[in-house]
Amino acid sequence: VKITVSKKEIEYKFEANSGERVLYAGLRQGLGLPHECATGTCGSCKARLKSGELKQLWPDAPGAKSCKSSKNEFLMCQNTAQSDCEVSFRGKLADQLESGYLPNYYEGRVVDANYLTADVIRILVEFEQVVPFRAGQFVVVNVEGLEGGRAYSMVNCAGGTTLEFIVKQLPEGGFSSWLFDSPRLNSKLSIFGALGNATLGADEGKDILCITGGSGIAGIIALLTQAVDDNYFDKNTGHLFFGIKAEQDLFFRDRLVALVEKSNRKLQVTITFSMGDIPKFDYAGKEDINYLSGNVTPVAMQQMSGQLQDNLVFLAGPPGMVDDAIRRLVIDAAFPVHNIRYDKFG
Ligand SMILES: Cc1cc2nc3c(=O)[nH]c(=O)nc-3n(C[C@H](O)[C@H](O)[C@H](O)COP(=O)(O)OP(=O)(O)OC[C@H]3O[C@@H](n4cnc5c(N)ncnc54)[C@H](O)[C@@H]3O)c2cc1C
Ligand code: FES
């Protein structure tokens, strides 16, 4: 079926395959349709149907709450076209996808899985083809028997045939149950992606500040690994604040220490513990990482006080954490919103 998008009197046309989500069809063909989560929660892909017929895949999607049926509003990521359709929307239409890679569909299978903590699993998924992406991007993962896709950020920093993910267990969550209830080695996964613009160009020339909580570290590790590989820290500094609850929730400490060392300590890492005391680690004589008590965002704001303005800020983690960080940066610290890039994990 044919979809026509009208924007400021210009028309863009693209084909959608049978059963394909309107958003994915447009993105796949290089049209920069507005979106954030691509999975029905954020509402940023809201559009208006001017003619044609759609099928809603998830009527209860949280992002659809702001869609007025009286105005024929719908979520492009949660609807497929049943006939040729004409749509319009308020958001910005990017000329082309900023990442430079067109997203597509890929089939893979889980080749490795291990627990990093009691409720975080790391999986490796192997694909027959190279999946191209930029450090900091994510894909939408689908598994058989589970309604709807889930977004997961790649820990790897560049495209390849094996992608690494970390998944934090959400009690009674659909994908969490699929992954945590039984060993999933050799299980098939299909993905759509890569998506997301929380990426860093090699020559952006700004210091970077990353604030993240829990599994939000996935895409941030990718981004910082890329920065180290690009020698980004020869000319700029980096600060990472990684928030977890307590010692038993800590993972990837070794990877973070390695990044600090490879950056010649131009990257500084602080791990914050929101509950209990700061645990004692075996420093082996080196204090590569700082450890502080408190919630990650207030700690980061306090530590960065007076040195925020020249940074590009990356935020990743639970929506509450990301929204709070944006509020503190923009409202409390008058930080320019266009220098903030984020992924809200919900
Ligand atoms: C950009 C982005 C990157 C993310 N990266 C990571 C990551 O690296 N690691 C990580 O642990 N988490 C990540 N998340 C969160 C992740 O996508 C899931 O929300 C989380 O793992 C919980 O999934 P669940 O299936 O266990 O929970 P559920 O509550 O079952 O589902 C959570 C999400 O799945 C979708 N969904 C649920 N039910 C339906 C349905 N019936 N039809 C269609 N869709 C449905 C919705 O988007 C919902 O918010 C990311 C989220 C986003 C938006
Ligand atoms: S992109 Fe469609 S609801 Fe988030």
Side-chain angles (χ1 to χ4, degrees), residues 99-344:
S99 78
Y101 297 120
L102 293 185
N104 215 329
Y105 301 92
Y106 300 88
E107 302 284 328
R109 65 187 177 88
V110 180
V111 292
D112 196 15
N114 64 292
Y115 282 86
L116 298 178
T117 70
D119 62 1
V120 176
I121 286 187
R122 166 186 173 273
I123 55 171
L124 290 183
V125 183
E126 198 170 274
F127 296 86
E128 281 172 13
Q129 286 168 277
V130 169
V131 182
F133 65 90
R134 290 185 61 191
Q137 289 199 288
F138 68 92
V139 294
V140 177
V141 175
N142 279 278
V143 291
E144 212 177 287
L146 182 65
E147 209 58 55
R150 309 295 193 263
Y152 293 102
S153 308
M154 278 71 77
V155 181
N156 327 53
C157 67
T161 51
T162 306
L163 303 193
E164 179 181 20
F165 301 96
I166 52 171
V167 180
K168 180 156 168 57
Q169 184 174 26
L170 186 77
E172 295 175 32
F175 189 80
S176 302
S177 305
W178 181 86
L179 187 62
F180 283 77
D181 287 356
S182 72
R184 286 295 172 183
L185 278 183
N186 286 318
S187 296
K188 287 186 180 160
L189 295 178
S190 53
I191 62 165
F192 178 73
L195 302 171
N197 293 323
T199 58
L200 173 71
D203 50 8
E204 298 211 46
K206 278 185 163 289
D207 295 339
I208 50 181
L209 164 64
C210 306
I211 306 176
T212 182
S215 57
I217 193 72
I220 299 290
I221 289 259
L223 202 88
L224 295 174
T225 307
Q226 183 68 60
V228 165
D229 290 352
D230 288 343
N231 298 319
Y232 195 88
F233 296 116
D234 284 0
K235 292 196 183 137
N236 299 100
T237 61
H239 287 90
L240 162 65
F241 293 85
F242 174 28
I244 51 172
K245 281 194 190 138
E247 182 173 7
Q248 65 266 25
D249 302 309
L250 180 56
F251 58 93
F252 280 175
R253 192 173 82 97
D254 293 354
R255 291 199 193 196
L256 294 174
V257 169
L259 284 172
V260 170
E261 283 176 357
K262 282 189 192 156
S263 75
N264 291 323
R265 291 164 199 256
K266 296 286 288 295
L267 168 68
Q268 289 180 31
V269 174
T270 302
I271 297 179
T272 63
F273 297 86
S274 62
M275 286 163 57
D277 297 331
I278 302 173
K280 289 215 171 4
F281 292 103
D282 177 8
Y283 291 110
K286 289 188 266 174
E287 293 201 9
D288 301 286
I289 292 184
N290 311 313
Y291 302 94
L292 294 172
S293 291
N295 288 322
V296 65
T297 309
V299 170
M301 295 298 291
Q302 196 207 8
Q303 297 287 313
M304 295 298 293
S305 169
Q307 43 174 333
L308 265 179
Q309 292 302 326
D310 286 336
N311 283 266
L312 266 182
V313 175
F314 293 87
L315 308 170
M321 188 222 98
V322 173
D323 286 337
D324 177 55
I326 293 175
R327 211 167 26 243
R328 285 173 191 265
L329 284 160
V330 176
I331 296 174
D332 300 351
F335 186 80
V337 73
H338 61 266
N339 283 337
I340 303 177
R341 299 175 193 170
Y342 63 85
D343 277 327
K344 281 188 210 176

Side-chain angles (χ1 to χ4, degrees), residues 23-24 34-46 61-64 74-78 138 346:
L23 176 71
Y24 296 6
H35 67 286
E36 278 182 21
C37 71
T39 52
T41 52
C42 73
S44 51
C45 65
K46 183 165 88 174
F74 71 101
L75 294 181
M76 289 188 278
C77 74
Q78 297 301 328
F138 68 92

